[in-house]
Coordinates of all heavy atoms in Angstrom, one line a residue:
M25 N 0.8 -1.2 0.0 CA 0.0 0.0 0.0 C 0.9 1.3 0.0 O 1.8 1.4 0.8 CB -0.9 0.0 1.3 CG -2.2 -0.8 1.1 SD -3.3 -0.1 0.0 CE -4.0 1.2 0.9
L26 N 0.5 2.2 -0.9 CA 1.3 3.4 -0.9 C 0.7 4.3 0.2 O -0.5 4.3 0.4 CB 1.1 4.1 -2.3 CG 1.7 3.4 -3.5 CD1 1.4 4.2 -4.7 CD2 3.2 3.2 -3.3
C27 N 1.6 5.1 0.7 CA 1.1 6.2 1.7 C 0.4 7.3 0.9 O 0.5 7.3 -0.3 CB 2.3 6.7 2.5 SG 3.5 7.7 1.6
T28 N -0.3 8.1 1.6 CA -1.1 9.2 1.0 C -0.2 10.0 0.1 O -0.6 10.4 -1.0 CB -1.8 10.0 2.1 OG1 -2.4 9.2 3.0 CG2 -2.8 10.9 1.5
D29 N 1.0 10.4 0.5 CA 1.9 11.2 -0.3 C 2.3 10.5 -1.6 O 2.2 11.1 -2.6 CB 3.1 11.6 0.5 CG 2.8 12.7 1.6 OD1 2.0 13.5 1.3 OD2 3.4 12.6 2.6
C30 N 2.6 9.3 -1.5 CA 3.1 8.6 -2.7 C 1.9 8.3 -3.7 O 2.1 8.3 -4.9 CB 3.8 7.2 -2.3 SG 5.4 7.5 -1.7
Q31 N 0.7 8.2 -3.1 CA -0.4 8.0 -4.0 C -0.6 9.2 -4.9 O -1.1 9.0 -6.1 CB -1.7 7.8 -3.2 CG -1.9 6.4 -2.6 CD -3.1 6.2 -1.7 OE1 -4.1 6.9 -1.9 NE2 -3.0 5.3 -0.8
S32 N -0.2 10.4 -4.5 CA -0.4 11.5 -5.3 C 0.9 11.9 -6.1 O 1.0 12.9 -6.8 CB -0.9 12.7 -4.5 OG -0.1 13.0 -3.4
G33 N 1.9 11.0 -5.9 CA 3.1 11.2 -6.7 C 4.4 11.5 -5.9 O 4.4 11.4 -4.7
Y34 N 5.4 11.8 -6.7 CA 6.8 12.0 -6.1 C 6.9 13.5 -5.9 O 7.0 14.3 -6.9 CB 7.8 11.5 -7.1 CG 9.2 11.6 -6.5 CD1 9.7 10.5 -5.8 CD2 10.1 12.6 -6.8 CE1 11.0 10.6 -5.3 CE2 11.4 12.7 -6.3 CZ 11.8 11.7 -5.5 OH 13.1 11.7 -5.1
H35 N 6.7 14.0 -4.7 CA 6.7 15.4 -4.5 C 7.1 15.7 -3.0 O 7.4 14.7 -2.3 CB 5.3 16.0 -4.7 CG 4.3 15.3 -3.9 ND1 4.1 15.5 -2.5 CD2 3.3 14.3 -4.2 CE1 3.1 14.7 -2.1 NE2 2.7 14.0 -3.1
A36 N 7.3 16.9 -2.7 CA 7.6 17.3 -1.3 C 6.6 16.8 -0.4 O 5.4 16.7 -0.7 CB 7.7 18.8 -1.3
P37 N 6.9 16.5 0.9 CA 8.2 16.7 1.5 C 9.2 15.6 1.1 O 8.9 14.4 1.3 CB 7.9 16.6 3.0 CG 6.7 15.8 3.1 CD 5.9 16.0 1.8
Y38 N 10.4 16.0 0.5 CA 11.3 15.0 0.0 C 12.1 14.4 1.2 O 12.8 13.4 0.9 CB 12.3 15.7 -1.0 CG 11.6 16.1 -2.2 CD1 11.3 17.5 -2.5 CD2 11.2 15.2 -3.1 CE1 10.6 17.9 -3.6 CE2 10.5 15.6 -4.3 CZ 10.2 16.9 -4.5 OH 9.5 17.3 -5.6
D39 N 12.0 14.9 2.4 CA 12.7 14.2 3.5 C 12.1 12.9 3.8 O 12.6 12.1 4.7 CB 12.9 15.1 4.7 CG 11.6 15.6 5.3 OD1 10.5 15.1 4.8 OD2 11.6 16.3 6.2
R40 N 11.0 12.5 3.2 CA 10.4 11.2 3.4 C 11.1 10.1 2.6 O 10.9 9.0 2.8 CB 8.9 11.2 3.1 CG 8.5 11.1 1.7 CD 7.0 11.0 1.6 NE 6.5 10.6 0.3 CZ 6.2 11.4 -0.7 NH1 6.4 12.7 -0.6 NH2 5.7 11.0 -1.9
F41 N 12.0 10.6 1.7 CA 12.7 9.6 0.9 C 14.2 9.4 1.3 O 14.8 10.4 1.8 CB 12.8 10.1 -0.6 CG 11.4 10.3 -1.2 CD1 10.9 11.5 -1.4 CD2 10.7 9.2 -1.6 CE1 9.7 11.7 -2.0 CE2 9.4 9.3 -2.1 CZ 8.9 10.6 -2.4
E42 N 14.6 8.2 1.2 CA 16.1 7.9 1.4 C 16.6 7.4 0.1 O 15.9 6.7 -0.7 CB 16.3 6.9 2.5 CG 15.7 5.6 2.4 CD 16.0 4.7 3.5 OE1 17.1 4.9 4.1 OE2 15.2 3.8 3.8
R43 N 17.8 7.8 -0.2 CA 18.5 7.3 -1.5 C 19.0 5.9 -1.3 O 19.9 5.7 -0.4 CB 19.6 8.3 -1.9 CG 20.2 8.0 -3.2 CD 21.3 8.9 -3.6 NE 20.8 10.3 -3.9 CZ 21.5 11.2 -4.3 NH1 22.8 11.1 -4.5 NH2 21.0 12.4 -4.6
M44 N 18.6 5.0 -2.1 CA 19.0 3.6 -2.0 C 20.2 3.3 -2.9 O 21.0 2.5 -2.6 CB 17.9 2.7 -2.4 CG 16.6 2.9 -1.6 SD 16.9 2.4 0.2 CE 17.0 0.6 0.0
A45 N 20.2 4.0 -4.1 CA 21.3 3.7 -5.1 C 21.3 4.8 -6.1 O 20.3 5.6 -6.2 CB 21.0 2.4 -5.8
A46 N 22.3 4.8 -6.9 CA 22.4 5.8 -8.0 C 23.1 5.2 -9.2 O 23.9 4.3 -9.1 CB 23.3 7.0 -7.5
N47 N 22.7 5.7 -10.4 CA 23.3 5.4 -11.6 C 23.9 6.7 -12.2 O 23.2 7.4 -12.9 CB 22.3 4.8 -12.6 CG 22.1 3.3 -12.4 OD1 23.0 2.6 -11.9 ND2 21.0 2.8 -12.8
P48 N 25.2 7.0 -11.8 CA 25.7 8.3 -12.1 C 25.8 8.6 -13.6 O 25.8 9.7 -14.0 CB 27.1 8.3 -11.5 CG 27.1 7.1 -10.5 CD 26.1 6.2 -11.0
E49 N 25.9 7.5 -14.4 CA 26.1 7.8 -15.8 C 24.8 8.2 -16.5 O 24.8 8.7 -17.6 CB 26.7 6.5 -16.5 CG 25.8 5.3 -16.4 CD 26.0 4.5 -15.1 OE1 26.6 5.0 -14.2 OE2 25.5 3.4 -15.1
V50 N 23.6 8.0 -15.8 CA 22.3 8.4 -16.5 C 22.1 9.9 -16.5 O 21.9 10.5 -17.5 CB 21.2 7.6 -15.9 CG1 19.8 8.0 -16.6 CG2 21.4 6.1 -16.1
P51 N 22.1 10.6 -15.3 CA 22.1 10.1 -14.0 C 20.6 9.8 -13.5 O 19.7 10.4 -14.0 CB 22.6 11.2 -13.2 CG 22.2 12.5 -13.9 CD 22.1 12.1 -15.4
S52 N 20.5 8.9 -12.6 CA 19.2 8.6 -12.0 C 19.5 8.1 -10.5 O 20.6 7.7 -10.2 CB 18.5 7.5 -12.8 OG 19.1 6.3 -12.7
F53 N 18.5 8.2 -9.8 CA 18.6 7.8 -8.3 C 17.4 7.0 -7.9 O 16.3 7.3 -8.3 CB 18.6 9.1 -7.5 CG 19.8 10.0 -7.9 CD1 19.5 11.1 -8.7 CD2 21.0 9.8 -7.4 CE1 20.6 11.9 -9.1 CE2 22.1 10.6 -7.8 CZ 21.8 11.7 -8.6
L54 N 17.7 6.0 -7.2 CA 16.6 5.1 -6.6 C 16.3 5.6 -5.2 O 17.1 5.6 -4.3 CB 17.1 3.7 -6.6 CG 16.1 2.7 -6.0 CD1 14.8 2.6 -6.8 CD2 16.7 1.3 -5.8
M55 N 15.1 6.1 -5.1 CA 14.6 6.7 -3.8 C 13.6 5.8 -3.2 O 12.7 5.3 -3.9 CB 14.1 8.1 -4.1 CG 15.0 9.0 -4.9 SD 16.6 9.3 -4.0 CE 16.1 10.5 -2.8
R56 N 13.6 5.7 -1.9 CA 12.7 4.8 -1.2 C 11.9 5.7 -0.2 O 12.5 6.4 0.6 CB 13.4 3.7 -0.5 CG 12.5 2.8 0.3 CD 13.3 1.7 1.0 NE 12.5 0.9 1.9 CZ 12.2 1.2 3.1 NH1 12.7 2.3 3.6 NH2 11.5 0.4 3.9
C57 N 10.6 5.6 -0.2 CA 9.8 6.3 0.8 C 9.9 5.6 2.2 O 9.7 4.4 2.3 CB 8.3 6.3 0.4 SG 7.2 7.1 1.5
K58 N 10.3 6.4 3.2 CA 10.4 5.8 4.5 C 9.1 5.5 5.1 O 9.0 4.7 6.1 CB 11.1 6.9 5.4 CG 12.5 7.2 5.0 CD 13.1 8.3 5.9 CE 14.4 8.9 5.3 NZ 14.7 10.1 6.1
H59 N 8.0 6.0 4.6 CA 6.7 5.8 5.2 C 6.1 4.4 4.7 O 5.6 3.6 5.4 CB 5.7 6.9 4.8 CG 6.1 8.2 5.4 ND1 5.5 9.4 5.1 CD2 7.1 8.5 6.3 CE1 6.1 10.4 5.7 NE2 7.1 9.9 6.5
C60 N 6.2 4.2 3.4 CA 5.5 3.1 2.8 C 6.4 2.1 2.0 O 5.9 1.1 1.6 CB 4.3 3.5 1.9 SG 4.9 4.4 0.4
G61 N 7.7 2.5 1.8 CA 8.6 1.6 1.1 C 8.5 1.7 -0.4 O 9.2 0.9 -1.1
A62 N 7.7 2.6 -0.9 CA 7.6 2.8 -2.3 C 9.0 3.1 -2.9 O 9.7 3.9 -2.3 CB 6.6 3.8 -2.7
L63 N 9.3 2.6 -4.1 CA 10.5 2.8 -4.8 C 10.3 3.7 -6.0 O 9.4 3.5 -6.8 CB 11.1 1.5 -5.3 CG 11.5 0.5 -4.2 CD1 11.8 -0.8 -4.7 CD2 12.7 1.0 -3.3
W64 N 11.0 4.8 -6.0 CA 10.9 5.8 -7.1 C 12.2 6.0 -7.8 O 13.2 6.0 -7.2 CB 10.4 7.2 -6.5 CG 9.1 7.2 -5.9 CD1 8.7 6.9 -4.7 CD2 7.9 7.6 -6.6 NE1 7.3 7.1 -4.5 CE2 6.8 7.5 -5.7 CE3 7.6 7.9 -8.0 CZ2 5.5 7.8 -6.1 CZ3 6.3 8.2 -8.3 CH2 5.2 8.1 -7.4
N65 N 12.1 6.1 -9.1 CA 13.2 6.4 -10.0 C 13.2 7.9 -10.3 O 12.4 8.4 -11.0 CB 13.2 5.6 -11.3 CG 14.5 5.5 -12.0 OD1 15.5 5.6 -11.4 ND2 14.4 5.4 -13.3
E66 N 14.2 8.6 -9.7 CA 14.4 10.0 -9.9 C 15.3 10.2 -11.0 O 16.5 9.9 -11.0 CB 14.8 10.7 -8.6 CG 14.8 12.2 -8.7 CD 15.4 12.8 -7.5 OE1 15.0 12.4 -6.4 OE2 16.2 13.8 -7.6
T67 N 14.9 10.9 -12.1 CA 15.7 11.2 -13.3 C 15.5 12.6 -13.6 O 14.9 13.4 -12.9 CB 15.3 10.3 -14.5 OG1 14.0 10.7 -14.9 CG2 15.3 8.8 -14.1
S68 N 16.1 13.0 -14.8 CA 15.9 14.4 -15.2 C 14.5 14.6 -15.7 O 14.0 15.7 -15.9 CB 16.9 14.7 -16.3 OG 16.8 13.8 -17.4
G69 N 13.8 13.5 -16.0 CA 12.4 13.5 -16.5 C 11.4 13.3 -15.4 O 11.7 13.7 -14.2
V70 N 10.2 12.8 -15.7 CA 9.2 12.6 -14.7 C 9.6 11.4 -13.8 O 9.9 10.3 -14.3 CB 7.8 12.3 -15.4 CG1 6.7 12.0 -14.4 CG2 7.5 13.4 -16.4
P71 N 9.5 11.5 -12.5 CA 9.8 10.4 -11.6 C 8.9 9.3 -11.8 O 7.7 9.5 -12.1 CB 9.7 11.0 -10.2 CG 9.8 12.5 -10.4 CD 9.2 12.8 -11.8
E72 N 9.4 8.1 -11.7 CA 8.6 6.9 -12.0 C 8.6 6.0 -10.8 O 9.6 5.7 -10.2 CB 9.3 6.1 -13.2 CG 8.6 4.9 -13.7 CD 9.4 4.2 -14.8 OE1 10.6 4.5 -14.9 OE2 8.9 3.3 -15.4
L73 N 7.4 5.5 -10.5 CA 7.2 4.5 -9.5 C 7.6 3.2 -10.0 O 7.2 2.7 -11.1 CB 5.7 4.5 -9.1 CG 5.3 3.6 -7.9 CD1 6.0 4.1 -6.6 CD2 3.8 3.7 -7.7
L74 N 8.5 2.5 -9.2 CA 9.1 1.2 -9.7 C 8.6 0.1 -8.9 O 8.4 0.2 -7.7 CB 10.6 1.3 -9.6 CG 11.4 2.3 -10.4 CD1 12.8 2.2 -10.0 CD2 11.2 2.1 -11.9
T75 N 8.4 -1.1 -9.5 CA 8.3 -2.3 -8.7 C 9.6 -2.7 -8.2 O 10.7 -2.3 -8.8 CB 7.7 -3.5 -9.6 OG1 8.7 -3.7 -10.6 CG2 6.4 -3.1 -10.3
R76 N 9.7 -3.6 -7.2 CA 11.0 -4.0 -6.7 C 11.8 -4.8 -7.8 O 13.0 -4.6 -7.9 CB 10.7 -5.0 -5.5 CG 12.0 -5.4 -4.8 CD 11.7 -6.0 -3.5 NE 11.1 -5.0 -2.6 CZ 11.4 -5.0 -1.3 NH1 12.1 -5.9 -0.7 NH2 10.9 -4.1 -0.5
T77 N 11.1 -5.6 -8.6 CA 11.8 -6.3 -9.7 C 12.4 -5.3 -10.7 O 13.5 -5.5 -11.1 CB 10.7 -7.2 -10.4 OG1 10.1 -8.0 -9.4 CG2 11.4 -8.0 -11.4
H78 N 11.6 -4.3 -11.1 CA 12.1 -3.3 -12.0 C 13.3 -2.6 -11.4 O 14.3 -2.3 -12.1 CB 11.0 -2.3 -12.3 CG 11.3 -1.5 -13.5 ND1 10.3 -0.6 -14.0 CD2 12.4 -1.3 -14.2 CE1 10.9 0.1 -15.0 NE2 12.1 -0.3 -15.2
A79 N 13.2 -2.2 -10.1 CA 14.3 -1.5 -9.5 C 15.5 -2.3 -9.4 O 16.6 -1.8 -9.6 CB 13.8 -1.0 -8.1
R80 N 15.4 -3.6 -9.1 CA 16.6 -4.4 -9.1 C 17.2 -4.6 -10.4 O 18.4 -4.7 -10.5 CB 16.2 -5.8 -8.6 CG 16.0 -5.9 -7.1 CD 15.8 -7.4 -6.7 NE 15.7 -7.5 -5.2 CZ 14.7 -8.2 -4.6 NH1 13.9 -8.9 -5.3 NH2 14.7 -8.2 -3.3
G81 N 16.4 -4.5 -11.5 CA 17.0 -4.6 -12.8 C 17.7 -3.3 -13.2 O 18.8 -3.4 -13.9
L82 N 17.2 -2.2 -12.7 CA 17.9 -0.9 -13.0 C 19.1 -0.7 -12.2 O 20.1 0.0 -12.6 CB 16.9 0.3 -12.9 CG 15.7 0.3 -13.8 CD1 14.8 1.5 -13.4 CD2 16.2 0.6 -15.2
Y83 N 19.0 -1.1 -10.9 CA 20.1 -0.8 -10.0 C 20.6 -2.2 -9.5 O 20.2 -2.7 -8.4 CB 19.6 0.0 -8.8 CG 19.1 1.4 -9.3 CD1 17.8 1.6 -9.6 CD2 20.0 2.4 -9.3 CE1 17.3 2.8 -10.0 CE2 19.5 3.7 -9.8 CZ 18.2 3.9 -10.1 OH 17.8 5.1 -10.5
T84 N 21.4 -2.8 -10.3 CA 21.8 -4.2 -10.0 C 22.6 -4.4 -8.7 O 22.6 -5.4 -8.1 CB 22.6 -4.8 -11.2 OG1 23.7 -3.9 -11.5 CG2 21.7 -4.9 -12.4
R85 N 23.3 -3.3 -8.3 CA 24.1 -3.4 -7.1 C 23.3 -3.0 -5.8 O 23.9 -3.0 -4.7 CB 25.4 -2.6 -7.2 CG 26.4 -3.3 -8.1 CD 27.6 -2.4 -8.4 NE 27.2 -1.3 -9.2 CZ 28.0 -0.4 -9.7 NH1 29.3 -0.5 -9.5 NH2 27.5 0.6 -10.4
A86 N 22.1 -2.5 -6.0 CA 21.4 -2.0 -4.8 C 20.9 -3.2 -4.0 O 20.5 -4.2 -4.5 CB 20.2 -1.2 -5.3
R87 N 20.8 -3.0 -2.7 CA 20.3 -4.0 -1.8 C 18.9 -3.7 -1.5 O 18.5 -3.1 -0.5 CB 21.2 -4.1 -0.5 CG 22.6 -4.4 -0.8 CD 23.5 -4.3 0.4 NE 23.1 -5.4 1.4 CZ 23.6 -5.6 2.6 NH1 24.5 -4.7 3.0 NH2 23.3 -6.6 3.3
I88 N 18.0 -4.2 -2.4 CA 16.6 -3.9 -2.2 C 15.8 -5.2 -2.4 O 16.3 -6.2 -2.9 CB 16.1 -2.9 -3.3 CG1 16.6 -3.2 -4.6 CG2 16.4 -1.5 -2.8 CD1 16.1 -2.3 -5.7
Ligands
ZN34 ZN1 5.2 6.7 0.5

């Protein structure tokens, strides 16, 4: 279940997220909501909600 904030998207307050991994060459960042555990892919474009499987594929070295 997504928390109320994640249900409406990736937005402030950003301190609810912790950075789990990064792909500096893209660049992109794997962010995890501390409230509900949702995984978000933060890029230069629109942030994307990721499944755990998708996140593991994008961030192969992340411990998720
Ligand atoms: Zn959340």
Side-chain angles (χ1 to χ4, degrees):
M25 278 291 283
L26 295 178
C27 68
T28 312
D29 284 325
C30 284
Q31 281 176 28
S32 56
Y34 187 86
H35 57 74
Y38 293 106
D39 60 1
R40 79 179 195 270
F41 300 107
E42 59 179 334
R43 184 181 292 184
M44 304 292 289
N47 277 335
E49 63 274 14
V50 178
S52 68
F53 303 97
L54 179 63
M55 307 298 286
R56 180 181 172 276
C57 177
K58 296 174 191 170
H59 298 169
C60 68
L63 297 169
W64 290 90
N65 195 29
E66 185 183 317
T67 67
S68 56
V70 179
E72 183 184 13
L73 185 61
L74 298 176
T75 64
R76 184 166 294 215
T77 305
H78 193 176
R80 281 189 178 133
L82 291 175
Y83 300 91
T84 51
R85 282 171 296 185
R87 301 177 65 184
I88 44 176

